[in-house]
Amino acid sequence: MPVQCLPGTDVEWYSAKKERDMKRVFQTAAVFFAALSAFVVWESWNLEYYTSLGPGPGFFPLWLGIAMGGLSLAWLGGEFSRSGKPKDRAFLPPRAGIVRILSILAALAAMAGFMTLLGFQLTMFLFLVFLLMVLGRQALWVTLVVAFLCSVGVYHLFGSYLDVALPAASVKFLAGLGL
Amino acid sequence: MELFDHLSIGLQTLFTPGNLFFCFIGVLMGTLVGVLPGLGPTAAIALLLPATFHTSPVASIIMLAGIYYGAMYGGSTTSILVNIPGEAASVVTCLDGYQMALQGRAGPALGIAAFGSFIAGTISVLGLMLIAPPLAKLALAFGPPEYFSLMLMGIVMLIYLASGSILKALMMAVFGLLVGTIGQDSISGTLRLTFGIRELYDGIGLIPAIMGLFGVSEVIVNVERAVKSEVVATGARNLLPTLQDWRDSIRPILRGSVLGFLIGILPGPSSTISSFTSYAMEKRVSKNPEKFGKGAIEGVAGPEAANNAATGGSFIPLLTLGIPANAVTALLLGAFMIHGIAPGPLLISKHPDLFWGTIISMYLGNIMLLVLNLPLIGLWVQVLRVPYPILFPLILLFCLVGVFSLNYSPVEVGLMIGFGAFGYVARKFQFELAPLVLALVIGPMVENYLRLSLIISRGSPWIFFKRPISAVFILITLALLISPLVPWIGRVREKLREKVEREKG
């Protein structure tokens, strides 16, 4: 049987679907917190709850886990019973935004992983070039000047004036270059 | 006479080249982060905390305190000139400040904001000087039950004053306390929730958590949408307010100063609350309330004075009781701990140079800020033009260096990334991060005081009710927790929250 489309029905359908999806996201988050609480309670259960002196190491985390579980369930219940649109402003970022966020997190992780191998100066230089040029869309000369000053400059500033030695490269060739 | 002796100690401590330099750097950095939208004092203090590891405790605290109150000065500049609040506390300044700028009166608006901030800052430092020592003496009578109850009340009050859902704020506080339990138990030595990771044996470091929650997540929130680089700013001339401007402003400044100072003592985002309360109060007492929102100078003078006075007030619980009132003072507590100093009732007697030096530095810092913010206003307008695509990599650079230089541990950098991602998601779900930070910082203390109290009472929780001071704190805590369930209180709170949201929007 053909479905008759009324004016505005599509918009309402999408809006209702979006609301349902949003609710599901919030419910999932509440379930995540509840699961985390259950894990904490389980871990604390294996610790000593009470000793001859008084409360043991398991006492505080156990009660916190229970409290967290209760609050998570209250949140979950609230999400099930709530009617109307969640009070959010553009919850999900656009696809390009997600790419930017993941790029930043990946760049930070790469920086942490390679810093002791390639040395602070080179990894920070590459890190800044990536952020300035690829994500920030800055001109090449701006990118190079800022990246150079901030990588080499910060390395020497911290090493010479603040007494904080940042890592040098552990690769012999790079170490030989003073990086 | 005793007060003069103390002032003399403070002056001797402050007037050394090193401490003066750090005071200047603090207020300069504070103004800078206040001017730059998207970078608040919490993130700035977190970013600069590692730079203080190798300086003296006095210089460190002087600088970090300078960032806090300096940011309140700088926050007004962007509110007035470009209608973008540099700080949450300056949101309300946009309402009349920007209107004044549109009417060609940006100069007097900036001028009265700076003078008002100076007067309020001075009044709040005087209040701090007079109230802190007797309060510290009173706090000497506190034992573990009183401290536990007081800390619990602090956390609950911060939750109660949160602008969003109380349930979610409570969840963040409990989560912060839970994160604080990770590591070796300080009483029995048992490892808890460490998953065999050696770096977690000492617990989750404050710096990686703060850098992630306030540095990395702030950047992620800002780059989520397109990374914009354009800045529009109107000019500012004739910064000195006229006699009529002074007549209109002096009472709001004085009222804002007293109000801000008193609100500052309470836990919570005191600077923001005090500026909104001052605005509402000025509108109510004004003979021409219809002028508000259309460029009334009282709408700039009162809130700007209030948010500055609140910073002074918020130092009272930190310096006298060792309990932070908000996320910024929680970080300052972290700074004290890093230097092996426990703020609290004994701080004044054990470290008079630190206590009085910091107080005197706040007075001098206010004078420095007046100079920085009036003649150099053009410079700050130029700073506004630094594009965010250049700024955000530098923020991440400071986060990385700050965390890595702590213990040279990639695991801690990983923790920072994790907290950054968590902070971003938490903001998406409208969770507030301040209760999490406060709970994370004071969590281990809360647990120790709770366990010590129960050891003293041989397991009886009645100890918290039997001791009068503790009983008062517990009763206030319970009243705050129960009050949202009372329908009319819940409705009033909801109405207030909606009003704040409307005025922010």
Side-chain angles (χ1 to χ4, degrees):
Chain A
M1 199 171 143
V3 178
Q4 195 181 357
C5 276
L6 296 170
T9 306
D10 283 355
V11 176
E12 281 165 19
W13 185 82
Y14 275 115
S15 169
K17 185 180 179 303
K18 202 179 163 192
E19 275 176 45
R20 271 201 311 276
D21 290 348
M22 282 304 305
K23 247 184 171 181
R24 207 159 290 155
V25 170
F26 275 69
Q27 286 161 2
T28 311
V31 169
F32 168 79
F33 270 107
L36 182 73
S37 316
F39 173 75
V40 170
V41 169
W42 170 254
E43 281 282 316
S44 311
W45 202 258
N46 296 322
L47 297 168
E48 213 171 1
Y49 179 76
Y50 223 85
T51 66
S52 54
L53 275 175
F59 178 84
F60 198 53
L62 179 74
W63 283 106
L64 288 176
I66 291 169
M68 186 70 157
L71 292 167
S72 310
L73 293 178
W75 185 28
L76 186 64
E79 288 302 325
F80 271 112
S81 61
R82 192 192 58 206
S83 57
K85 220 176 148 184
K87 293 170 193 168
D88 74 307
R89 288 184 287 265
F91 186 84
L92 283 175
R95 193 180 291 268
I98 295 173
V99 171
R100 275 195 293 271
I101 292 168
L102 293 178
S103 306
I104 286 176
L105 295 178
L108 282 169
M111 177 81 200
F114 288 109
M115 204 187 311
T116 45
L117 186 71
L118 302 178
F120 174 83
Q121 295 176 88
L122 184 60
T123 27
M124 184 51 79
F125 181 80
L126 296 173
F127 174 76
L128 290 173
V129 166
F130 172 72
L131 293 184
L132 288 162
M133 212 159 156
V134 180
L135 297 184
R137 297 182 190 286
Q138 294 299 299
L140 182 64
W141 72 269
V142 174
T143 301
L144 293 177
V145 169
V146 174
F148 179 79
L149 285 176
C150 291
S151 53
V152 178
V154 166
Y155 180 82
H156 288 287
L157 176 76
F158 273 73
S160 308
Y161 296 102
L162 297 172
D163 229 8
V164 178
L166 293 166
S170 56
V171 177
K172 272 189 182 172
F173 166 69
L174 294 173
L177 294 173
L179 292 170
Chain B
M1 281 306 286
E2 201 184 14
L3 186 66
F4 288 107
D5 291 342
H6 293 149
L7 290 178
S8 149
I9 293 171
L11 287 167
Q12 280 170 22
T13 309
L14 178 64
F15 282 94
T16 59
N19 289 345
L20 281 173
F21 173 73
F22 277 99
C23 181
F24 176 72
I25 292 294
V27 294
L28 183 75
M29 292 305 294
T31 309
L32 182 68
V33 298
V35 167
L36 292 170
L39 191 64
T42 317
I45 290 176
L47 291 174
L48 285 178
L49 205 49
T52 65
F53 291 166
H54 298 277
T55 58
S56 73
V58 180
S60 308
I61 301 301
I62 284 175
M63 184 180 83
L64 299 174
I67 295 173
Y68 184 24
Y69 56 83
M72 296 303 138
Y73 270 73
S76 60
T77 307
T78 43
S79 298
I80 292 166
L81 291 180
V82 286
N83 203 25
I84 299 171
E87 278 319 299
S90 304
V91 168
V92 82
T93 310
C94 289
L95 299 176
D96 284 280
Y98 188 61
Q99 287 301 320
M100 284 181 73
L102 289 179
Q103 293 159 15
R105 286 177 33 82
L110 289 165
I112 209 70
F115 283 119
S117 299
F118 173 73
I119 295 168
T122 308
I123 290 174
S124 81
V125 172
L126 287 173
L128 179 60
M129 255 165 53
L130 296 173
I131 292 178
L135 192 63
K137 275 184 189 157
L138 181 75
L140 282 172
F142 284 21
E146 284 79 12
Y147 270 111
F148 169 75
S149 317
L150 183 60
M151 287 182 180
L152 196 66
M153 186 183 80
I155 293 176
V156 171
M157 208 176 264
L158 184 68
I159 290 163
Y160 186 78
L161 296 172
S163 60
S165 148
I166 287 187
L167 178 76
K168 287 181 180 173
L170 204 52
M171 280 179 78
M172 280 295 100
V174 175
F175 184 65
L177 290 172
L178 259 177
V179 174
T181 63
I182 293 174
Q184 199 166 35
D185 171 34
S186 62
I187 295 178
S188 67
T190 311
L191 292 174
R192 298 185 297 191
L193 304 164
T194 54
F195 312 107
I197 302 169
R198 190 173 289 273
E199 281 83 353
L200 295 182
Y201 288 4
D202 284 338
I204 297 274
L206 182 64
I207 304 292
I210 300 289
M211 294 284 197
L213 290 170
F214 289 95
V216 176
S217 85
E218 190 79 48
V219 166
I220 297 176
V221 167
N222 286 321
V223 301
E224 179 192 283
R225 308 282 149 189
V227 187
K228 289 176 188 166
S229 59
E230 75 275 13
V231 169
V232 185
T234 51
R237 288 181 205 91
N238 304 327
L239 292 160
L240 291 180
T242 62
L243 201 59
Q244 185 58 44
D245 289 335
W246 274 112
R247 272 196 207 114
D248 292 339
S249 306
I250 193 68
R251 282 195 186 90
I253 288 172
L254 294 175
R255 277 192 291 264
S257 303
V258 176
L259 181 81
F261 181 73
L262 294 176
I263 292 179
I265 300 172
L266 301 173
S270 49
S271 301
T272 312
I273 293 172
S274 63
S275 62
F276 274 96
T277 313
S278 166
Y279 189 81
M281 187 167 78
E282 291 312 320
K283 200 171 168 180
R284 185 151 289 188
V285 300
S286 172
K287 285 174 187 161
N288 306 302
E290 70 283 353
K291 277 196 321 182
F292 281 74
K294 293 170 188 162
I297 199 162
E298 301 95 312
V300 176
E304 279 301 316
N307 70 31
N308 270 276
T311 59
S314 67
F315 275 92
I316 288 183
L318 176 72
L319 296 178
T320 59
L321 304 168
I323 298 171
N326 52 42
V328 181
T329 45
L331 274 182
L332 287 170
L333 176 65
F336 274 106
M337 287 169 166
I338 286 167
H339 287 284
I341 294 169
L346 295 175
L347 181 78
I348 302 176
S349 52
K350 275 190 177 172
H351 303 278
D353 54 333
L354 177 60
F355 181 83
W356 293 105
T358 305
I359 286 186
I360 298 293
S361 80
M362 290 164 82
Y363 193 82
L364 185 75
N366 274 297
I367 298 172
M368 286 180 180
L369 281 165
L370 200 61
V371 177
L372 276 175
N373 278 270
L374 285 179
L376 298 181
I377 191 73
L379 177 76
W380 302 116
V381 174
Q382 290 304 314
V383 167
L384 270 175
R385 296 182 194 279
V386 174
Y388 197 72
I390 291 184
L391 198 61
F392 88 83
L394 301 185
I395 295 173
L396 293 176
L397 160 86
F398 275 100
C399 289
L400 272 166
V401 173
V403 171
F404 198 79
S405 61
L406 207 60
N407 294 315
Y408 302 103
S409 160
V411 174
E412 291 199 327
V413 178
L415 278 175
M416 177 189 78
I417 299 170
F419 273 104
F422 177 81
Y424 168 73
V425 176
R427 285 172 200 229
K428 282 280 172 185
F429 283 101
Q430 293 147 15
F431 282 104
E432 286 197 28
L433 298 179
L436 167 60
V437 174
L438 185 64
L440 179 63
V441 174
I442 66 172
M445 288 191 272
V446 170
E447 184 184 4
N448 277 347
Y449 286 129
L450 171 67
R451 287 167 69 181
L452 284 173
S453 304
L454 292 174
I455 288 171
I456 293 168
S457 70
R458 298 184 182 181
S460 167
W462 290 108
I463 189 169
F464 299 111
F465 294 94
K466 278 181 185 166
R467 296 170 71 137
I469 299 174
S470 167
V472 170
F473 294 147
I474 290 284
L475 288 176
I476 294 172
T477 307
L478 290 175
L480 288 171
L481 282 173
I482 294 167
S483 64
L485 303 175
V486 179
W488 73 267
I489 297 179
R491 276 200 300 275
V492 168
R493 188 180 175 277
E494 186 62 21
K495 270 186 190 167
L496 275 172
R497 199 181 63 76
E498 279 170 9
K499 194 179 170 196
V500 168
E501 283 293 315
R502 234 187 357 261
E503 288 187 354
K504 271 186 191 176

